[in-house]
Amino acid sequence: MQLETATIDIGTSRPLVLLHAADADELGAHPLDRVRIEWAEGTTTGIVKRTDELVEHGTVGLTEPLHHVRGPVAVTLAGSPSSVGAIRKKLDDAELERTELERIVQDIHENRLSDVELSAYVSAVYANGLSLEETTHLTTAMSEIGQQLTWETPVVADKHSIGGVAGNCVTPIMVAIVAAAGVTMPKTSSRAVTSPAGTADVMEVFCDVEHSIDEIESIVAETNACLVWGGGVDLSPVDDEIIRAENPLSIDPEGQLVASVLSKKRSAGSTHVVIDVPYGEGAKVESLAAARGLADDFKRVADHLGIDVCCAITHGADPIGRGVGPVLEARDVLAVLEGLEEAPESLRLKSIRLSELLLDHCGVDADVLDLLESGRALERFREIVAAQGGTPDVSYADLEPAAESTAVRADRSGIVTRVDNRALCDLARRAGAPLDGRAGLVVHPSAGDEIDVGDPLCTIHAQTTAKLEEAASLADRLEPIRVRSKTDALVERR
Amino acid sequence: MQLETATIDIGTSRPLVLLHAADADELGAHPLDRVRIEWAEGTTTGIVKRTDELVEHGTVGLTEPLHHVRGPVAVTLAGSPSSVGAIRKKLDDAELERTELERIVQDIHENRLSDVELSAYVSAVYANGLSLEETTHLTTAMSEIGQQLTWETPVVADKHSIGGVAGNCVTPIMVAIVAAAGVTMPKTSSRAVTSPAGTADVMEVFCDVEHSIDEIESIVAETNACLVWGGGVDLSPVDDEIIRAENPLSIDPEGQLVASVLSKKRSAGSTHVVIDVPYGEGAKVESLAAARGLADDFKRVADHLGIDVCCAITHGADPIGRGVGPVLEARDVLAVLEGLEEAPESLRLKSIRLSELLLDHCGVDADVLDLLESGRALERFREIVAAQGGTPDVSYADLEPAAESTAVRADRSGIVTRVDNRALCDLARRAGAPLDGRAGLVVHPSAGDEIDVGDPLCTIHAQTTAKLEEAASLADRLEPIRVRSKTDALVERR
């Protein structure tokens, strides 16, 4: 069928092809069918949507991934991409071959799968799992797409946390310590997807985080390290597409998680990696046994890829550090590096311990406590910030959270029994983080602390009173920090 | 966030909410997140898409399911529908409770699930199966949505074929025979979705098939039967949404299939049902053992629902009848009813045998062969056609296939080893069926027949020479009817 083209702007990564209902009928094309589009310069495929108004009879509407196609075009029905057969095979709980996993990764990368197909892939991997061999093939296939970084030093240190813990901004501190110890650590991090702040959002408080590969190479040459946004360098980009289907289902299948993390590390050229696996109530991994199993999987797959991985199983039931939100976490980072009294002990301890692990893993003998307390880590951090275009002498005192604030206070005295990561993250997002860099919250007590009625449990910061009130009312409903009376079994009488 | 509204026409059953990227960021809404929309007359939810051009900053674009919403509206982030938790539970291979299945069905019915979520449901049911109890709950929940038909007679006959066989248009013949035997058989059928002709498409060759419930009641009162399109009476409509996700994956999970078929029968008020389960190479069910298992499941679930089901396991590896496409299948139906020499024996035999089974199952003693050969079935068929607004004296000779035609001929002599249902269906669709009612094909030999070089294997009919050529070239590639030489092992030398 010969059609004219029109460009349609809908925010979708999928190559949607809007056909007038009459043209779709004529073609025999149903919604979600694929069509082949031939135009003067080539051939591509897209996924059919029907419409009565958005395009006219005789015109085909093309969304962004197809905006380079200009009419007239010949449109014919096309079959499903071959990886749909492999997805069905995984739904049937059969072992996938290397080539099948490569085809799935390629089709995801080229946006050839519809949402229905992508979700079936994620669901199949979640329901039926991936063997060690499948995970290794998947990791390799994912890492071979996108950019590849290479470094001249034989040891390239890296770290990753599987996430789910509020605050937990150990990365900038670790990078500063490890680089100060003379080890190369070119760190790429993500921005927040469903959390109130990714490491890249925190670093953006200090300096630019979007750098080209050339710029990253010169930053690393100068300081032994960098702290940049990974999205700017396109490492293992297939991961982002897969996450798009995992998020609405709140699933994160283990084999996929291992492949996603290690493919990024492989593309980044990392040789020695510490993976932080926080476990506990409400964390991604609930039990110590599950954390150990995941750690073993990481090590086994990494072995096959020639990456030296060491896993740190850590406490994940409550936050690390006090701040939640870009500026508030950046303050915690500086407090630790500057050795201030305000430094949250949980963040300081975890940063020291993981740095020791990583340096030991790299075969480097260094006194981490001395690097931190001597101010050499702070100095290195400031050099990195300067190399990334920030103000080098930034200090704790310069960072101001959003002006509107309110404290959530204990309505009874007793022991703090629960500091809920997920509820605190929801609260910080409601207050405006990460879009408002200065919005978020500060957590006051830790689990086990004694509390008097009226003591502040957390302080919420927001740019506007409207946002502040929204967050405060959410806090009432979520009760993110729970206190149990030592003397009364009754919580309240109604 | 306060926004103005604009209506957007994209062909989607999902309530999509197009947000300008700046508004989406401000709200913290990611693609596929849900938002709650409050307007003067109520509250509803929609699924977020981001756009830079289709709507302006400050305006929200609403697709068809939300076209009743008029601005200004308040838009806030909303959580996932509760059935997403139940879908995750099924992915975890846990047994779902009645209320969880009801919630899934309700959310599908109200278009609250995104494609990712709907696909995860279908994938989970396919990967982990449904227990007998789950299938029964699902069937009940599905049948309680949409219209319910009720009949005054105690015995209401019905039939269903699980499909996958080309031609196979036994339904109009069976309805004519059963109604002529004095049994009520108000039959609703589907139009083609991925096949070249549904029973409704075939009946439309003779008369109207879209009738209101009142009209159906009067047609049945007059003739004991009807042969109408089920989509016009909205029986168990959730099925159609589920099929939308099953089709692109080419999966049809057994528990879901049983629930889909029986929920429609329950809504239609049927009491005695014959289910045709064709099995064989390339059919939906490949082995006799699998066909028996499926038949047992149908009977067990039907028992719980108080429907009397009897299953006919039939041959499904090759076509039943000769015509494929609406008019060509209608011709076969008339040839059988009129007792012509042109009547395909496979269609005649299957119609007789299934009618005998159904009447026996209803406890009615009738001579099916006599009903057919005496012309009483034909007479009843013409009465039904007349009651549905068609020409009552239509006959085989009046039905003309599309004028452009070409024969696909055997390029060697030997035995027909395979007549491939799926390839023939693809071919008939390529020729233009079902949209061109007179397009399609006629199959000449059956598997096992002896063939000489140059004998016609099938004849393709199309409205235009372009369509005809397209179909003929597809026939070359698919080789839908395979012939094996009795005297030479070599197929060809290249």
Side-chain angles (χ1 to χ4, degrees):
Chain A
M1 179 179 290
Q2 296 291 324
L3 298 169
E4 291 300 316
T5 54
T7 61
I8 303 283
D9 170 68
I10 318 176
T12 168
S13 48
R14 244 116 283 273
L16 295 186
V17 172
L18 277 74
L19 287 173
H20 188 275
D23 292 327
D25 283 343
E26 164 76 22
L27 198 61
H30 299 96
L32 295 187
D33 272 355
R34 276 187 185 67
V35 285
R36 183 175 299 109
I37 301 169
E38 288 171 72
W39 83 108
E41 290 164 47
T43 300
T44 186
T45 58
I47 299 166
V48 171
K49 291 251 172 196
R50 293 163 67 98
T51 177
D52 288 320
E53 283 176 29
L54 267 193
V55 298
E56 285 172 22
H57 193 14
T59 299
V60 57
L62 304 171
T63 61
E64 203 193 321
L66 300 173
H67 278 182
H68 58 291
V69 178
R70 303 281 161 164
V73 294
V75 177
T76 49
L77 274 184
S80 297
S82 63
S83 68
V84 172
I87 292 170
R88 202 163 48 236
K89 189 173 164 188
K90 182 39 74 184
L91 277 172
D92 282 327
D93 202 9
E95 176 101 8
L96 296 186
E97 319 239 337
R98 186 173 56 78
T99 51
E100 291 171 317
L101 287 158
E102 285 169 355
R103 233 177 298 137
I104 291 173
V105 166
Q106 200 65 42
D107 282 343
I108 294 174
H109 178 54
E110 291 171 15
N111 282 311
R112 279 200 220 111
L113 299 187
S114 69
D115 281 358
V116 164
E117 291 152 349
L118 185 65
S119 170
Y121 166 69
V122 167
S123 299
V125 169
Y126 180 80
N128 294 328
L130 291 175
S131 71
L132 182 65
E133 209 168 353
E134 288 176 313
T135 307
T136 308
H137 292 321
L138 177 62
T139 309
T140 311
M142 286 176 71
S143 72
E144 277 164 7
I145 284 177
Q147 300 265 15
Q148 310 287 325
L149 305 186
T150 50
W151 308 100
E152 284 173 14
T153 46
V155 172
V156 179
D158 205 344
K159 64 85 64 174
H160 182 86
S161 173
I162 67 163
V165 177
N168 200 29
C169 201
V170 296
T171 301
I173 304 170
M174 283 181 72
V175 168
I177 291 171
V178 170
V183 175
T184 302
M185 190 164 179
K187 184 79 186 84
T188 61
S189 302
S190 52
R191 292 188 189 278
V193 178
T194 56
S195 77
T199 300
D201 299 311
V202 174
M203 283 310 298
E204 206 166 34
V205 170
F206 302 113
C207 53
D208 292 342
V209 294
E210 299 192 23
H211 294 279
S212 68
I213 291 196
D214 285 352
E215 287 167 350
I216 290 174
E217 281 173 353
S218 97
I219 295 163
V220 174
E222 196 180 327
T223 68
N224 252 2
C226 67
L227 277 155
V228 301
W229 178 50
V233 285
D234 200 37
L235 302 176
S236 187
V238 166
D239 191 32
D240 303 331
E241 276 300 299
I242 292 172
I243 287 173
R244 222 176 47 77
E246 289 174 345
N247 273 341
L249 301 170
S250 301
I251 61 175
D252 196 355
E254 192 166 307
Q256 188 60 54
L257 170 65
V258 169
S260 292
V261 171
L262 293 182
S263 65
K264 279 212 163 32
K265 297 307 168 198
R266 191 173 194 247
S267 299
S270 309
T271 62
H272 293 73
V273 183
V274 164
I275 295 175
D276 173 23
V277 183
Y279 87 95
E281 198 185 339
K284 265 194 190 172
V285 178
E286 298 249 331
S287 73
L288 183 55
R292 285 174 177 154
L294 182 58
D296 288 349
D297 284 351
F298 268 119
K299 287 172 72 75
R300 271 194 289 257
V301 175
D303 260 6
H304 280 272
L305 299 170
I307 304 177
D308 227 324
V309 158
C310 152
C311 291
I313 298 177
T314 60
H315 294 291
D318 46 11
I320 297 292
R322 288 217 190 87
V324 181
V327 162
L328 290 158
E329 293 180 40
R331 284 217 306 178
D332 281 356
V333 165
L334 277 186
V336 170
L337 287 170
E338 292 179 23
L340 305 181
E341 209 174 74
E342 290 85 348
E345 189 57 15
S346 60
L347 181 65
R348 201 180 85 91
L349 271 181
K350 185 166 177 177
S351 305
I352 291 171
R353 198 74 192 89
L354 291 187
S355 299
E356 283 171 351
L357 261 182
L358 180 52
L359 285 168
D360 180 63
H361 188 57
C362 292
V364 173
D365 192 19
D367 184 341
V368 166
L369 207 61
D370 181 58
L371 286 168
L372 192 60
E373 289 179 351
S374 67
R376 277 194 284 150
L378 174 64
E379 195 185 322
R380 180 57 57 103
F381 181 74
R382 286 179 167 158
E383 286 164 15
I384 297 168
V385 167
Q388 294 188 195
T391 321
D393 56 353
V394 68
S395 80
Y396 178 86
D398 301 333
L399 298 177
E400 283 289 333
E404 301 289 335
S405 76
T406 185
V408 177
R409 293 179 185 281
D411 58 2
R412 71 195 80 114
S413 60
I415 301 290
V416 174
T417 55
R418 177 92 203 268
V419 183
D420 183 332
N421 279 313
R422 196 164 301 183
L424 288 170
C425 286
D426 287 350
L427 215 57
R429 284 184 72 96
R430 190 62 60 94
L435 201 69
D436 294 344
R438 304 195 304 144
L441 55 87
V442 177
V443 182
H444 300 300
S446 306
D449 285 0
E450 263 191 68
I451 284 285
D452 273 334
V453 60
D455 280 354
L457 298 175
C458 69
T459 303
I460 305 171
H461 293 271
Q463 296 281 72
T464 64
T465 49
K467 287 261 178 196
L468 193 68
E469 278 163 21
E470 256 189 70
S473 107
L474 184 66
D476 268 357
R477 289 205 303 281
L478 294 180
E479 205 194 341
I481 300 174
R482 303 211 168 156
V483 179
R484 178 179 187 148
S485 163
K486 287 196 290 187
T487 55
D488 195 351
L490 190 69
V491 174
E492 65 184 29
R493 178 181 167 172
R494 306 208 102 171
Chain B
M1 180 180 292
Q2 295 291 324
L3 297 169
E4 291 302 316
T5 55
T7 61
I8 303 283
D9 169 67
I10 317 178
T12 169
S13 49
R14 247 116 281 274
L16 295 185
V17 172
L18 277 73
L19 287 174
H20 188 275
D23 292 327
D25 283 343
E26 165 76 22
L27 199 61
H30 300 96
L32 295 186
D33 273 355
R34 277 189 184 65
V35 286
R36 183 174 300 108
I37 300 168
E38 288 172 73
W39 83 108
E41 289 164 48
T43 300
T44 186
T45 58
I47 298 166
V48 171
K49 291 252 173 196
R50 292 162 68 98
T51 178
D52 287 320
E53 283 176 28
L54 268 192
V55 298
E56 284 172 22
H57 193 15
T59 299
V60 57
L62 303 171
T63 61
E64 203 192 322
L66 301 173
H67 279 180
H68 58 291
V69 177
R70 303 281 160 164
V73 295
V75 177
T76 49
L77 275 184
S80 297
S82 63
S83 68
V84 172
I87 292 170
R88 202 162 48 236
K89 189 172 164 188
K90 185 35 78 183
L91 277 173
D92 282 327
D93 202 9
E95 176 100 8
L96 296 185
E97 320 238 337
R98 187 174 56 79
T99 51
E100 290 171 318
L101 287 157
E102 285 169 355
R103 234 178 296 137
I104 290 173
V105 167
Q106 200 65 43
D107 281 344
I108 294 174
H109 179 54
E110 290 171 16
N111 282 312
R112 278 199 220 112
L113 299 187
S114 69
D115 280 358
V116 165
E117 290 152 351
L118 185 64
S119 170
Y121 166 69
V122 168
S123 299
V125 169
Y126 180 80
N128 294 328
L130 291 174
S131 70
L132 181 66
E133 209 168 354
E134 287 176 315
T135 307
T136 308
H137 292 320
L138 177 62
T139 309
T140 311
M142 284 176 71
S143 72
E144 277 163 8
I145 285 176
Q147 300 265 17
Q148 311 287 326
L149 303 185
T150 49
W151 307 100
E152 282 173 15
T153 45
V155 172
V156 179
D158 205 344
K159 65 84 63 176
H160 182 85
S161 172
I162 67 162
V165 177
N168 200 29
C169 203
V170 296
T171 302
I173 305 170
M174 283 181 70
V175 169
I177 292 171
V178 171
V183 176
T184 302
M185 190 165 179
K187 184 77 185 84
T188 62
S189 302
S190 52
R191 291 188 189 279
V193 178
T194 57
S195 77
T199 300
D201 299 311
V202 175
M203 284 310 297
E204 206 166 34
V205 170
F206 301 113
C207 54
D208 294 340
V209 294
E210 299 191 23
H211 295 278
S212 68
I213 291 195
D214 286 351
E215 289 166 350
I216 290 174
E217 281 173 354
S218 97
I219 295 163
V220 175
E222 195 179 324
T223 68
N224 252 2
C226 67
L227 278 155
V228 300
W229 177 50
V233 285
D234 199 38
L235 303 175
S236 186
V238 167
D239 192 31
D240 304 331
E241 277 300 300
I242 292 171
I243 287 172
R244 223 176 48 77
E246 289 173 346
N247 272 342
L249 301 171
S250 301
I251 61 175
D252 197 355
E254 190 165 308
Q256 186 61 54
L257 170 64
V258 170
S260 292
V261 171
L262 293 181
S263 65
K264 280 211 161 35
K265 297 305 167 201
R266 190 173 196 248
S267 299
S270 308
T271 62
H272 293 72
V273 184
V274 165
I275 295 175
D276 172 23
V277 183
Y279 88 95
E281 199 185 338
K284 264 194 190 171
V285 179
E286 297 250 329
S287 73
L288 184 55
R292 284 176 178 152
L294 181 59
D296 288 350
D297 284 352
F298 268 118
K299 288 174 69 77
R300 270 195 288 258
V301 175
D303 259 8
H304 280 272
L305 299 169
I307 303 177
D308 227 323
V309 158
C310 152
C311 291
I313 299 178
T314 59
H315 295 291
D318 45 11
I320 297 291
R322 289 217 190 87
V324 182
V327 162
L328 291 159
E329 294 180 38
R331 284 214 307 176
D332 281 355
V333 166
L334 277 186
V336 170
L337 287 170
E338 292 179 24
L340 304 182
E341 208 174 75
E342 290 85 348
E345 190 56 16
S346 59
L347 182 66
R348 201 182 84 93
L349 271 181
K350 184 165 177 177
S351 304
I352 291 171
R353 198 74 193 88
L354 291 187
S355 299
E356 284 172 350
L357 261 182
L358 180 52
L359 285 168
D360 180 63
H361 187 58
C362 292
V364 173
D365 192 19
D367 184 342
V368 166
L369 209 60
D370 181 57
L371 287 168
L372 193 59
E373 289 177 352
S374 67
R376 277 193 285 151
L378 175 63
E379 194 184 325
R380 180 58 56 106
F381 181 74
R382 287 179 166 158
E383 286 164 15
I384 296 167
V385 167
Q388 293 187 193
T391 321
D393 57 353
V394 69
S395 80
Y396 178 87
D398 301 333
L399 297 178
E400 283 290 331
E404 301 289 335
S405 75
T406 186
V408 177
R409 292 178 187 279
D411 58 1
R412 71 195 81 114
S413 60
I415 301 290
V416 174
T417 55
R418 178 93 203 267
V419 184
D420 184 331
N421 279 313
R422 196 164 303 180
L424 288 170
C425 287
D426 287 351
L427 215 57
R429 284 183 71 98
R430 190 59 62 92
L435 200 70
D436 294 345
R438 304 195 305 142
L441 55 87
V442 177
V443 181
H444 301 300
S446 306
D449 285 1
E450 262 190 69
I451 284 286
D452 273 333
V453 62
D455 279 355
L457 298 174
C458 68
T459 304
I460 305 171
H461 293 270
Q463 295 281 72
T464 65
T465 49
K467 288 260 179 197
L468 193 67
E469 280 163 21
E470 257 189 69
S473 106
L474 185 66
D476 267 358
R477 288 206 302 283
L478 293 181
E479 206 195 337
I481 299 174
R482 303 209 168 158
V483 179
R484 177 178 189 151
S485 164
K486 286 196 291 187
T487 55
D488 194 353
L490 190 69
V491 174
E492 65 184 28
R493 179 182 165 172
R494 304 207 103 170

